[in-house]
Amino acid sequence: MTIFDDPRFLAQELERVGHIVAPELATTCVLAHRLGKPLLCEGSPGVGKTSLARALARASGGSFIRLQCHDGLEASQALYDWDFAKQILHVRTIEAASSSAGERIDAICLDDELHDRAFLLARPILRAIEDSRGLGPDEARPVLLIDEIDRAGDEFDALLLEALADWSVTVPELGTISTQTPPLVILTSNRTRDLHDALRRRCLYQWFDQPGAEAESRILSLHVPEADESLRRAVIAAANRLRSADLLKPPGTAEAIDWLRALHALGLGELDDPAIAATISAVLKDADDLAPARTVLSPFGGDGT
């Protein structure tokens, strides 16, 4: 039995490794595994999209492979590249051996040698495909996280769609490398741009809302179990006040976890004005948010109401 045989079992195993999911998300993850489809996770930063992929890898025992997207991302960074330094060293070794033996180098044979698999650098997508080859139905698959795909350009959507369409990567010098057992692919997006419709249709989809107070309390208790419940609830209440304010970068659950950890690390058991001032750097990440945050938190009083 694997964790993907039953959504309830998957949810239990994810909680065991510190990640809480709603029943519908657990079901979607099971479907992504069974159907061999990527799962596109969209939502605001800090709501658990990236941590879901990490938790799935830990819970299933599969390897975790991450591709961090950015503007100008190229195929050589996502699919594969050639190890030029290793190729040059190989050429020099052959030249030295040929010179000492008084032989000429066969350029065609040398070119074939330089484009052997030993000189190929597998980037995240190719690594995930190669690591999935030959796996049985009950063996742990690699989890490929394609993080913040909305930061890459439109052309990357097309490249990714081609790779995921038949779970293969074509290397002109070597041929096509493919797998019959697809990796579990998690794509995340903060919706800074619209993704290509064809890519969306290829994926299962999950929208990530900010969790409610009770769910967030369970999450914080898993990540910072040593903190008092009263302090945990005070942090959640204060974080919700900040989320309701007109901030450029409102705190997500990830920032709430950091805030609670910071308070506990300083030995602060109450979220009063001095405690807020000492730890606000764990919560706010933009200078323009400081003034409105002070206004929202000034009447907080440290009682969590």
Side-chain angles (χ1 to χ4, degrees), residues 5 23 31 42-43 51 56 61 78 80 100 104 113 122 137 159 175-176 217 245:
D5 289 333
L31 288 174
E42 286 194 323
S51 58
L56 285 168
Y80 68 89
S100 61
R104 297 185 62 180
E113 284 188 40
L159 180 149
T176 299
S217 179

Side-chain angles (χ1 to χ4, degrees), residues 101-305:
E103 299 175 351
R104 297 185 62 180
I105 299 175
D106 188 325
I108 296 178
C109 292
L110 179 59
D111 185 69
D112 289 341
E113 284 188 40
L114 292 178
H115 291 99
D116 184 78
R117 178 62 185 85
F119 297 100
L120 190 71
L121 296 173
R123 301 306 188 192
I125 294 176
L126 180 57
R127 280 179 53 205
I129 289 175
E130 287 191 319
D131 288 356
S132 300
R133 300 175 76 180
L135 292 180
D138 294 331
E139 293 184 89
R141 303 180 192 178
V143 177
L144 171 61
L145 169 64
I146 302 177
D147 209 10
E148 298 183 312
I149 187 175
D150 52 319
R151 293 183 178 273
D154 293 339
E155 63 279 359
F156 181 71
D157 291 1
L159 180 149
L160 182 60
L161 186 63
E162 182 180 355
L164 301 184
D166 52 6
W167 303 105
S168 66
V169 171
T170 298
V171 182
E173 297 85 353
L174 296 177
T176 299
I177 302 172
S178 61
T179 179
Q180 297 298 316
T181 305
L184 180 57
V185 180
I186 306 294
L187 296 88
T188 72
S189 168
N190 297 329
R191 293 182 66 96
T192 59
R193 72 169 175 89
D194 290 333
L195 303 182
H196 198 284
D197 286 344
L199 180 60
R200 287 185 176 276
R201 289 195 299 269
R202 181 69 180 80
C203 302
L204 298 179
Y205 181 81
Q206 186 73 35
W207 172 258
F208 280 61
D209 279 318
Q210 181 64 43
E214 290 303 316
E216 191 166 24
S217 179
R218 289 179 61 201
I219 294 170
L220 265 62
S221 66
L222 277 175
H223 286 271
V224 199
E226 61 276 13
D228 293 336
E229 181 181 356
S230 59
L231 182 60
R232 183 170 66 247
R233 293 195 176 276
V235 166
I236 292 171
N240 280 328
R241 288 197 179 190
L242 291 173
R243 291 163 189 155
S244 64
D246 188 21
L247 302 183
L248 294 174
K249 297 186 183 298
T253 300
E255 285 74 30
I257 293 171
D258 288 343
W259 200 0
L260 185 57
R261 283 175 173 161
L263 289 162
H264 183 76
L266 294 176
L268 301 173
E270 186 178 359
L271 192 60
D272 52 16
D273 288 344
I276 291 173
T279 57
I280 199 65
S281 61
V283 191
L284 300 182
K285 307 302 171 69
D286 195 291
D288 292 336
D289 287 338
L290 292 175
R294 291 192 188 99
T295 301
V296 171
L297 296 178
S298 59
F300 194 74
D303 60 0
T305 60

Side-chain angles (χ1 to χ4, degrees), residues 47-87:
V47 292
K49 304 185 297 297
T50 298
S51 58
L52 170 65
R54 294 185 183 276
L56 285 168
R58 290 198 300 269
S60 67
S63 59
F64 177 71
I65 303 170
R66 179 176 183 174
L67 173 61
Q68 179 62 54
C69 298
H70 56 82
D71 186 28
L73 181 65
E74 298 179 353
S76 61
Q77 298 169 298
L79 300 178
Y80 68 89
D81 201 359
W82 291 102
D83 191 338
F84 297 115
K86 191 174 180 180
Q87 287 175 322

